[in-house]
Amino acid sequence: LLAIGSCLPSYKANAEESLSTDEETYTVLFSIQLDSTKPEELSELEIECHPDWAPGAAARFKELVELGFYKDSPFFRVLPGFIAQFGISADKEKNKTWMYCDTTDKEAVKLCKQPLPDEPRKVPNKKGTLSFASSGKNSRRTQVFINLTDNSGLPNFLDGQGFVPFARIVRGEDIVKKLNDEYKGSVNQGKAAYYGQEYFEKIFPKLSVIRDAKIL
């Protein structure tokens, strides 16, 4: 259900490198355009990230935020009462190295980032927590979802499926309820990763978008 897509190859994750991180909690601020017709209206979502919950996930998220990976990235999969998912960059060049290895681009292959190794879950997938999406063992890359309800047990059992929270919303939970959900899960994630912003704007123009993401 939370698969990234068949276009993304699997690689053996380097656990030592991927999990090295400090243990300090940090905060990320998202500026979100909820309504595609009102670019001047931005809403703030504040996320508290916990390396002590999942050090690899927290380190990867911080790196992606600092890189600008999530700038202009939409919430491409919003399922009311379940999750709101983001993490396909509007910049298709970033997707080449972070989401998949474009084997036709020698530079992209050289720069290709390894997926994260799996980590033990320390906290449940409660409402307002964030976890990386995955498509199987050791496959977490860039996509993240916000739990819109308690998904730890019945009926979705995300805890049992190995999804590991690394952060939680500390301000703006009401904003998440306003994310555009009309497209549900119809975005083709492979095409979105390959074409980036062009695909989103032409095919799914009404998606709510993260206009900026920064470490506070």
Side-chain angles (χ1 to χ4, degrees):
L1 188 57
L2 292 173
I4 290 177
S6 58
C7 67
L8 307 180
S10 297
Y11 293 87
K12 185 177 180 181
N14 185 325
E16 248 180 60
E17 180 181 345
S18 299
L19 293 181
S20 61
T21 180
D22 56 47
E23 291 295 320
E24 291 186 8
T25 298
Y26 65 92
T27 303
V28 171
L29 182 67
F30 280 179
S31 296
I32 300 170
Q33 181 183 338
L34 295 171
D35 188 333
S36 61
T37 67
K38 299 177 180 178
E40 72 287 351
E41 293 186 11
L42 299 178
S43 302
E44 293 186 343
L45 184 68
E46 198 169 314
I47 300 164
E48 185 179 78
C49 302
H50 289 263
D52 56 319
W53 293 0
R60 173 61 61 90
F61 189 64
K62 187 174 187 178
E63 186 176 8
L64 289 166
V65 170
E66 292 177 333
L67 178 69
F69 188 90
Y70 297 122
K71 181 176 172 59
D72 295 325
S73 172
F75 283 89
F76 66 85
R77 188 176 183 225
V78 181
L79 305 176
F82 184 30
I83 61 156
Q85 192 168 339
F86 64 93
I88 300 175
S89 184
D91 183 345
K92 62 185 181 181
E93 295 304 314
K94 287 186 173 68
N95 290 330
K96 280 184 182 181
T97 56
W98 285 91
M99 290 193 67
Y100 68 97
C101 287
D102 183 353
T103 55
T104 66
D105 186 330
K106 291 182 179 179
E107 279 305 308
V109 171
K110 289 179 186 176
L111 298 172
C112 187
K113 301 296 183 179
Q114 297 285 321
L116 288 171
D118 293 339
E119 300 178 88
R121 181 183 50 78
K122 295 184 179 178
V123 297
N125 281 275
K126 296 286 190 181
K127 182 178 181 179
T129 59
L130 285 78
S131 298
F132 271 87
S134 66
S135 57
K137 185 176 177 60
N138 299 326
S139 62
R140 297 175 301 165
R141 288 181 176 272
T142 64
Q143 294 190 35
V144 175
F145 62 88
I146 300 172
N147 285 297
L148 302 181
T149 189
D150 182 354
N151 286 317
S152 59
L154 285 168
N156 298 313
F157 291 111
L158 295 193
D159 284 4
Q161 294 181 56
F163 295 103
V164 179
F166 68 91
R168 67 186 182 97
I169 295 172
V170 292
R171 182 168 67 87
E173 194 165 330
D174 57 317
I175 300 304
V176 178
K177 298 174 185 176
K178 300 175 183 177
L179 295 171
N180 187 298
D181 63 9
E182 66 178 276
Y183 301 117
K184 302 298 188 289
S186 56
V187 168
N188 183 306
Q189 297 178 37
K191 289 182 179 179
Y194 187 81
Y195 292 105
Q197 189 168 20
E198 178 186 5
Y199 174 80
F200 288 125
E201 290 185 345
K202 285 186 176 180
I203 312 299
F204 301 97
K206 296 181 181 179
L207 290 170
S208 298
V209 177
I210 301 166
R211 289 305 178 195
D212 192 32
K214 61 184 178 183
I215 309 290
L216 294 182

